C-alpha cells in the first residue's frame, strides 16, 4: 500500500464548477501538507501549504486537512480553463523528513 | 529571477552511455533535490543535498550519482544509462536544510524538467 493515495483522474468539469481534489494517507506522523499544480511539460509549483489539521484559504483555493480521517482536500471555486493541470498532494512528517508526493490528479476545465 | 534552470530540456541517449543533467538555482537555497517522475508512480526522490559539500540518497538512487561543489549547482550523472532510466527528471530546491543530516521540509521550488529517453 502506498503511503499517499490520489485518484489519477482525469477529472473533467465545466467552467465555473466547484472542484474537489482529494488524497488519503496512511502515516499518522505526517504534519505538513501541500498541494502543487503542474501544467503539461512544466515543473510542479506550490499552490497551498498547511500545517496539521484545519482549513486554509487563498483566493479561489481552499485546502482542508482532516488528520483524524487521514484525508486532505483541495477545493477550487469558480474553476477556470487556466486551472486545467495536474494537481499533486504532498506531505511530510516535519523534523527534516522527506516529502512524499501523491501521483497527481489530472483536471480539465471545459470552457 | 530565473529560479531553477535545467539543461538539457530533452535528450535521447543510447543505452550504456553516460550523461550529466545540469541544475542551477539562483535563489541561494541551501537544499537541493533530484526527482524522477513516471506515469503512475509520481515523483520519486533520487538524491538530495542539504548544503554544499554534502549529499544523501533518496528512495531510488541506484544508477545515479550527484555532487554539490557549491550552493548553486547540483548535477545528476548517469554513469551507464539503461532503458528503465527513461523518465522526466526534476531538480528542486528549498530555503533551509540541516547540516546534521536529514531532509528539509520547507517549500520546494521545481525546475522545468529534463525529458530523458534511453534506447
Amino acid at each position: 500500500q502506498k503511503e499517499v493515495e490520489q485518484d489519477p483522474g482525469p477529472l473533467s468539469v465545466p467552467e465555473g464548477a466547484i472542484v474537489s481534489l482529494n488524497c488519503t494517507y496512511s502515516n499518522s506522523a505526517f504534519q505538513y501538507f501541500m498541494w502543487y499544480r503542474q501544467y503539461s511539460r512544466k515543473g510542479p509549483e506550490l499552490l497551498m501549504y498547511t500545517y496539521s489539521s484545519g482549513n486554509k484559504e487563498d483566493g479561489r483555493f481552499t485546502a482542508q486537512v482532516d488528520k483524524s480521517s487521514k484525508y486532505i482536500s483541495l477545493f477550487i471555486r469558480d474553476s477556470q480553463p487556466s486551472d486545467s493541470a495536474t494537481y499533486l498532494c504532498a506531505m511530510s512528517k516535519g523534523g527534516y523528513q522527506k516529502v512524499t508526493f501523491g501521483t497527481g490528479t489530472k483536471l480539465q476545465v471545459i470552457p | 529571477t530565473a529560479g531553477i534552470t535545467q539543461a538539457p530540456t530533452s535528450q535521447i541517449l543510447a543505452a550504456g552511455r553516460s550523461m550529466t543533467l545540469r541544475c542551477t538555482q539562483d535563489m541561494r537555497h541551501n537544499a537541493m533535490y533530484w526527482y524522477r517522475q513516471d506515469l503512475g508512480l509520481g515523483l520519486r526522490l533520487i538524491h538530495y543535498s542539504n548544503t554544499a559539500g554534502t549529499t544523501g540518497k533518496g528512495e531510488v538512487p541506484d544508477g545515479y550519482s550527484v555532487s554539490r561543489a557549491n550552493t548553486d549547482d547540483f548535477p545528476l550523472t548517469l554513469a551507464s544509462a539503461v532503458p528503465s532510466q527513461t523518465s522526466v527528471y526534476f531538480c528542486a530546491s528549498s530555503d533551509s536544510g540541516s547540516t546534521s543530516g536529514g531532509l528539509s521540509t520547507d517549500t520546494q521550488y521545481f525546475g522545468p524538467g529534463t525529458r530523458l529517453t534511453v534506447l
Side-chain angles (χ1 to χ4, degrees):
Chain A
Q1 181 188 6
K2 294 180 182 177
E3 275 192 302
V4 179
E5 299 278 358
Q6 186 174 10
D7 188 329
L11 178 63
S12 292
V13 301
E15 183 176 353
I18 296 174
V19 176
S20 172
L21 303 166
N22 312 294
C23 285
T24 59
Y25 62 95
S26 58
N27 194 332
S28 58
F30 286 138
Q31 299 279 352
Y32 298 86
F33 303 91
M34 294 147 277
W35 285 95
Y36 284 81
R37 178 175 61 195
Q38 185 176 20
Y39 290 114
S40 180
R41 294 185 169 264
K42 301 289 185 184
E45 57 178 336
L46 184 73
L47 202 56
M48 300 285 282
Y49 181 99
T50 55
Y51 170 71
S52 196
S53 288
N55 293 1
K56 185 174 183 179
E57 187 174 322
D58 183 2
R60 297 184 294 110
F61 299 90
T62 299
Q64 281 187 355
V65 175
D66 182 349
K67 291 188 69 180
S68 63
S69 301
K70 298 190 184 68
Y71 189 87
I72 69 170
S73 301
L74 177 71
F75 296 96
I76 306 174
R77 293 183 298 281
D78 188 24
S79 56
Q80 302 295 309
S82 59
D83 295 327
S84 297
T86 296
Y87 290 81
L88 305 164
C89 64
M91 49 198 77
S92 70
K93 301 173 189 176
Y96 304 108
Q97 299 298 307
K98 76 179 184 74
V99 176
T100 301
F101 288 86
T103 52
T105 299
K106 187 172 184 178
L107 171 67
Q108 186 176 17
V109 181
I110 312 296
Chain B
T1 302
I4 295 183
T5 58
Q6 292 184 237
T9 302
S10 64
Q11 182 74 45
I12 298 174
L13 187 66
R17 300 296 294 268
S18 66
M19 179 173 183
T20 295
L21 281 61
R22 300 185 298 279
C23 174
T24 300
Q25 54 111 353
D26 63 2
M27 297 175 283
R28 308 301 293 172
H29 285 171
N30 289 342
M32 297 187 75
Y33 315 84
W34 273 105
Y35 293 89
R36 58 178 290 174
Q37 187 175 40
D38 302 286
L39 194 64
L41 297 176
L43 285 163
R44 292 182 292 169
L45 183 66
I46 304 171
H47 285 288
Y48 66 94
S49 169
N50 281 330
T51 189
T54 68
T55 62
K57 294 181 179 180
E59 59 183 299
V60 288
D62 294 344
Y64 307 96
S65 63
V66 292
S67 62
R68 187 88 184 277
N70 57 61
T71 298
D72 298 342
D73 300 300
F74 191 43
L76 176 74
T77 297
L78 288 67
S80 180
V82 295
S84 61
Q85 292 178 310
T86 294
S87 187
V88 181
Y89 291 85
F90 289 102
C91 180
S93 70
S94 64
D95 197 20
S96 67
S98 168
T99 56
S100 62
L103 295 167
S104 167
T105 57
D106 284 357
T107 303
Q108 295 188 17
Y109 297 86
F110 285 81
T114 293
R115 291 182 170 270
L116 178 66
T117 302
V118 182
L119 300 176

